[in-house]
Amino acid sequence: MTHFPPPAEELRLLDLELRQLDARRAQLLHRRAWLVTALQAAARPVPAPGTPPRPEASAPRVQNVLLMLGAVLLTIAAMAFTLVSWGHLGIAGRALVLGGVTVAVLAAPVPLLKRGLRSTAESVAGIGLALTVLDAYALRQVTSLDVDATGYVAAASAVLAALWTAYGLLPRTSGLRLPLPAALAAAQLPLALGAVAADAGLYGITAAVLVTAAFDTGVALRVPTRSVRITAMVGAYGLGAWGVWAAGWLSWTATGPSAAARAAALLLFAAGVALTAARREAAGQQAVGLTVAAGLLTVAALGGTARSVLPDAWSVPAYLACGIALLAAVRVDRLPKTVRLGLARASAAVQGLALVWTLPAVAIALLGPVAWAEQVWSGAPGDLRAAVAADAPWPPDARTVPVVLAAVAVVLLLAVRDTVWRPRALTGALVLAWATALVLPAVLEVPYVVGLVAFGITTAGALAAAAWIRPSERPRTATEESSATAPAVPTAVGFPAPGPTALVLALLTSLSLAFLSLTTEPATLAVLSALTALFTAASWRPHLTPVTAPTALAYAALLACATGAAAGWEPQYTALLVLAVPVAAALLAARLGDARAAVPVEVVGAIAALLAVALAAVSADLPMIALVLALCGVITAGTAIRPDRRPVAYASAALFVLATWVRLAAWDIGTPEAYTLPVTVPALLVGALRRRRDPEASSWTAYGPGLAATLVPSLLAAWGDPDWTRPLLLGLAALSVTLLGAGHHLQAPLLLGGTVLALDALHELAPYIAQVTDALPRWVPPALAGLMLLALGATYEQRLRDARRMRDFLGNMH
């Protein structure tokens, strides 16, 4: 056996070893940190001795900066000389100084270019161009020309543009890149400033701006030099946008045909420039964009001219007609493909903007009838427009909305022939035709009843379209119809098919019609009856059943409510009529079989049943509430007969229990067993059936809920009952349950029955226990508590002794 030192000595040795380990660990960590630092320093590149530092700026960059600064400083000096020191010289001296300096500076780039100093030559040329501007300013100050400042700037910029162009085209200075872009920049001013100086008016100034933009466009298309092209493109787009905006504003604000024609001429000129540029740039998105701009400008010009002679309501149709006319150019094969594509997009943009203009009228026609939900049966208005616009103003100049909608629908039907886009066009045409039918009665201000009929016809037409077009197919084109065996072409991915779209439109129209019929009692009954019949008839088409069958049931439930209200029935009696809808839903779901159609039908039936319960609850008539709950239980029980709906049996049992409780409450019965036994008996029967089918099922699962449903409430009632009848009956019942549990070896009845029996007996013996407690001496309770504490202490000591013996035994082992 190894010798073990005393605990104190062993503890001292352990502490000593731990301190040594800590010291060694600190030494190793210090060494590791030094090694990491050394490796990082070795990884960095060390420059060789005598290697010059890397320059931060390249030599060409330094050169350009210096030349630019020099040119700027010389220009500033020249400006200071011209503005400050000019008056100290005579006329001859002034002319000699300016002329000599300018000629010398402009001539200096020639020898510089010969020596290959291109950047220096560019800088000196820039100084020379700046001196010519100062010469023009000095000439204005010296001479007394009878020209205003704007006119003089226009003339000076024209002269400077010509001089700089000539300077840039000279053989010896043609290598300079600065003069020609500078000349083009100066050429942007003469026409516009000249028009301002000549008081040409807005039309003249706009024309000058557009002509300048056209000149820039020509330069950008013909000049190959990159710097000149970039300058020309900036001028063309900038001035072109400015001129087009001004011309469009003049066209929109024109008060007569003459003014509109002048604005149209400006817009057509801009459109011609854009179209010419697009034809020269026959490829690329830039050509398409220019063509779109040309098409929109043409529409703005022609539409603005027509608008000036037409009523305000026909302004949008005039623009739309011009936009549709652009499609004629799309058929011209001689035009480049990009041009035709751009014109088609321009036409589509015009049609889209026209449709946006129609949205307020369509929205009011569709959503306006919702306001009648707060004014049920308050009286029919005089016409349909007043009915749909009961809570919102009708848009002004909306009488041409149907014309716009119908025109775009016709274009979609006739113009789109592509195989991919054809289904999308048919869907769009269907939506626009529906919108036309929706808005037209309100626009024509037809009588209210006629408007209801029109809405009903629109709903029926949309349903007929949905029934005729299956969701997996689209209507065949004329080419496909010529072949009897032509297969159905699938709809393009990502876009709604005409069939489902028509079904959605039918639902939306039916909702508007239902709200619109709330004005009078006969209208509500007639419309709801018609909608119920219409959607019921549409449910015979299998692909429509998942939507139309639930909709028909929903309208049937509303019809039942409206019928009860019209007959003057109280809500609880109307609830009995509404229950016909859940019955029909249960029968229809069992007949359908398809889950896609059966589930929505059952959901609507459940909602109708809840509506019936709510109507019965409003009246606070307990017998009727119990009857409605019981009938709902019968309906759910019938549904639970189906093998795939067996879980509904739980809902049926709950409804029957609720019906029983409400009936008992109506009889003023306060005995809890009357409420709990109707739950316990079915629960025990279900548990027995489950145990028979699954012998491994726990008794707590099979019998626990049923027994607890009666025993626990009865026990609580017995503890507060001063009479002896309830405790006696409860004790007998608990004893019976305990014996049954013991006889059949079931844990749940045994424990539940025994616990309730013991608590019930304790309740009955409590007075006697209290008497016995009062009869005992006062020293008995402390004595009993002391004995209990002594017993606990002895047990604790014994366990400690056993633990100490085990520790000693393990310590003596090697």
Side-chain angles (χ1 to χ4, degrees):
M1 298 294 291
T2 303
H3 172 70
F4 286 94
E9 181 65 18
E10 184 178 1
L11 180 61
R12 186 184 65 79
L13 294 175
L14 291 177
D15 291 340
L16 179 60
E17 292 183 4
L18 289 175
R19 283 195 297 271
Q20 293 176 353
L21 289 175
D22 291 338
R24 181 59 176 168
R25 175 180 174 81
Q27 181 182 3
L28 293 176
L29 289 175
H30 179 73
R31 180 62 179 174
R32 181 183 182 277
W34 183 87
L35 291 174
V36 170
T37 305
L39 290 175
Q40 291 177 350
R44 297 193 190 99
V46 179
T51 302
R54 181 180 179 182
E56 295 183 359
S58 60
R61 181 175 300 178
V62 174
Q63 164 195 305
N64 294 333
V65 171
L66 293 176
L67 292 174
M68 182 182 65
L69 289 176
V72 170
L73 291 176
L74 288 175
T75 303
I76 293 174
M79 292 175 61
F81 172 77
T82 304
L83 296 175
V84 178
S85 302
W86 183 256
H88 299 291
L89 299 176
I91 296 177
R94 299 171 186 173
L96 180 62
V97 171
L98 277 178
V101 172
T102 302
V103 170
V105 172
L106 290 177
V110 177
L112 293 176
L113 288 175
K114 289 183 179 180
R115 296 185 179 183
L117 301 176
R118 185 182 185 86
S119 298
T120 306
E122 294 285 355
S123 301
V124 175
I127 297 173
L129 299 180
L131 287 176
T132 57
V133 177
L134 294 176
D135 290 342
Y137 170 78
L139 182 62
R140 171 66 177 172
Q141 295 297 322
V142 171
T143 61
S144 57
L145 297 176
D146 190 13
V147 180
D148 62 345
T150 306
Y152 182 78
V153 173
S157 60
V159 173
L160 289 176
L163 291 176
W164 293 351
T165 302
Y167 181 70
L169 294 177
L170 290 175
R172 296 186 178 183
T173 57
S174 59
L176 296 174
R177 290 175 293 184
L178 183 60
L180 292 180
L184 186 59
Q188 309 302 308
L189 302 177
L191 288 179
L193 294 180
V196 173
D199 292 331
L202 293 177
Y203 290 93
I205 297 173
T206 304
V209 171
L210 290 176
V211 170
T212 305
F215 170 74
D216 292 335
T217 304
V219 172
L221 292 175
R222 293 183 176 275
V223 177
T225 306
R226 185 171 181 271
S227 59
V228 178
R229 283 176 58 89
I230 293 176
T231 306
M233 290 177 64
V234 171
Y237 283 112
L239 293 178
W242 179 19
V244 165
W245 179 85
W249 181 77
L250 291 173
S251 176
W252 184 257
T253 57
T255 57
S258 176
R262 285 184 289 169
L266 296 175
L267 291 172
L268 289 175
F269 175 76
V273 173
L275 187 60
T276 302
R279 295 193 65 178
R280 290 294 302 270
E281 297 286 342
Q285 291 298 322
Q286 186 178 4
V288 176
L290 289 172
T291 307
V292 171
L296 294 177
L297 291 174
T298 304
V299 171
L302 300 179
T305 304
R307 185 185 62 84
S308 63
V309 297
L310 293 175
D312 292 339
W314 290 92
S315 298
V316 174
Y319 285 105
L320 178 62
C322 298
I324 294 173
L326 291 178
L327 295 176
V330 178
R331 302 289 182 182
V332 180
D333 295 334
R334 291 178 297 177
L335 293 176
K337 182 178 179 180
T338 54
V339 173
R340 287 182 289 163
L341 178 60
L343 292 177
R345 291 183 179 180
S347 177
V350 173
Q351 296 178 56
L353 292 174
L355 292 179
V356 171
W357 175 75
T358 65
L359 288 180
V362 176
I364 291 178
L366 180 64
L367 303 177
V370 178
W372 288 102
E374 299 178 354
Q375 311 172 39
V376 178
W377 296 354
S378 59
D383 56 72
L384 189 66
R385 181 184 295 184
V388 298
D391 198 28
W394 184 253
D397 301 328
R399 62 179 181 270
T400 55
V401 167
V403 177
V404 173
L405 294 171
V408 179
V410 171
V411 170
L412 290 176
L413 285 175
L414 300 180
V416 182
R417 293 294 181 182
D418 185 73
T419 306
V420 177
W421 287 93
R422 182 65 175 172
R424 309 173 188 179
L426 291 177
T427 301
L430 178 64
V431 174
L432 294 176
W434 165 80
T436 304
L438 194 69
V439 175
L440 186 60
V443 170
L444 298 178
E445 296 183 277
V446 300
Y448 172 71
V449 177
V450 177
L452 290 181
V453 175
F455 269 64
I457 293 174
T458 303
T459 305
L463 273 179
W468 176 60
I469 305 174
R470 293 185 177 274
S472 60
E473 298 179 359
R474 64 164 174 83
R476 298 175 182 177
T477 61
T479 305
E480 294 169 351
E481 287 292 345
S482 61
S483 176
T485 60
V489 180
T491 304
V493 178
F495 286 79
T501 303
L503 183 57
V504 173
L505 297 178
L507 292 176
L508 293 176
T509 313
S510 67
L511 288 174
S512 297
L513 178 58
F515 281 110
L516 199 60
S517 68
L518 297 177
T519 56
T520 59
E521 176 184 316
T524 302
L525 296 176
V527 167
L528 291 178
S529 300
L531 290 176
T532 303
L534 184 62
F535 281 93
T536 301
S539 299
W540 290 101
R541 301 287 290 181
H543 66 282
L544 299 182
T545 304
V547 178
T548 55
T551 305
L553 292 174
Y555 283 127
L558 296 177
L559 177 61
C561 295
T563 302
W569 293 354
E570 295 183 3
Q572 63 270 26
Y573 299 107
T574 304
L576 296 177
L577 185 60
V578 174
L579 283 179
V581 175
V583 173
L587 296 176
L588 180 60
R591 180 181 178 83
L592 290 174
D594 186 7
R596 293 178 300 174
V599 171
V601 167
E602 291 172 340
V603 169
V604 174
I607 295 174
L610 292 176
L611 176 61
V613 173
L615 290 173
V618 169
S619 63
D621 188 351
L622 294 181
M624 288 301 299
I625 297 175
L627 178 59
V628 171
L629 290 172
L631 293 176
C632 291
V634 172
I635 296 171
T636 52
T639 304
I641 296 175
R642 295 164 49 191
D644 57 336
R645 291 293 184 269
R646 293 295 169 80
V648 182
Y650 295 105
S652 177
L655 289 170
F656 281 126
V657 170
L658 288 176
T660 304
W661 287 355
V662 173
R663 185 72 254 187
L664 293 174
W667 288 336
D668 294 330
I669 296 177
T671 304
E673 287 78 10
Y675 295 89
T676 57
L677 285 176
V679 178
T680 296
V681 173
L684 292 177
L685 291 176
V686 172
L689 292 175
R690 181 171 182 180
R691 288 276 295 179
R692 178 175 298 180
R693 294 180 180 178
D694 184 13
E696 299 297 329
S698 173
S699 63
W700 289 101
T701 304
Y703 304 116
L707 293 174
T710 295
L711 292 178
V712 174
S714 298
L715 179 62
L716 296 176
W719 273 71
D721 192 351
D723 200 0
W724 60 272
T725 306
R726 184 188 301 276
L728 177 61
L729 295 177
L730 178 61
L732 293 176
L735 178 60
S736 302
V737 170
T738 303
L739 294 177
L740 288 174
H744 292 84
H745 303 285
L746 298 176
Q747 190 179 44
L750 180 62
L751 294 180
L752 284 175
T755 302
V756 172
L757 179 61
L759 293 175
D760 184 62
L762 179 62
H763 172 265
E764 292 301 311
L765 296 176
Y768 303 101
I769 295 173
Q771 292 178 5
V772 172
T773 303
D774 292 338
L776 289 175
R778 294 183 178 273
W779 57 267
V780 173
L784 294 176
L787 291 175
M788 183 181 64
L789 293 175
L790 288 175
L792 290 175
T795 304
Y796 186 70
E797 182 181 7
Q798 183 179 1
R799 291 182 178 178
L800 287 177
R801 184 188 61 189
D802 295 340
R804 191 179 297 110
R805 288 179 178 176
M806 179 58 67
R807 185 194 63 184
D808 295 339
F809 174 74
L810 294 176
N812 293 330
M813 293 179 63
H814 179 67

